[in-house]
Amino acid sequence: MSQAKIFEKIKMIPVAYQQEVEDFIDFILQKNNKGIQEEKKKRKIGLLKGKMKMSPDFDEPLNDFKDYM
């Protein structure tokens, strides 16, 4: 659909609804801009490597749950 046809259709919409159309267009443009910004922010793999440690007994059963096992 050409832009001219879109403009003609918008002109036929009552003035009260034209504001809603404009708000919807703004919403779509904001959503599109957010998507572009999110694409730029890519996470780096392995950024936290070596920063966290697990205790050696991590896989051992917990004493609090002995009654249930």
Side-chain angles (χ1 to χ4, degrees), residues 55 57-69:
S55 64
D57 64 344
F58 178 79
D59 289 329
E60 298 298 320
L62 298 172
N63 290 334
D64 295 341
F65 293 108
K66 280 187 179 181
D67 295 338
Y68 303 104
M69 297 171 97

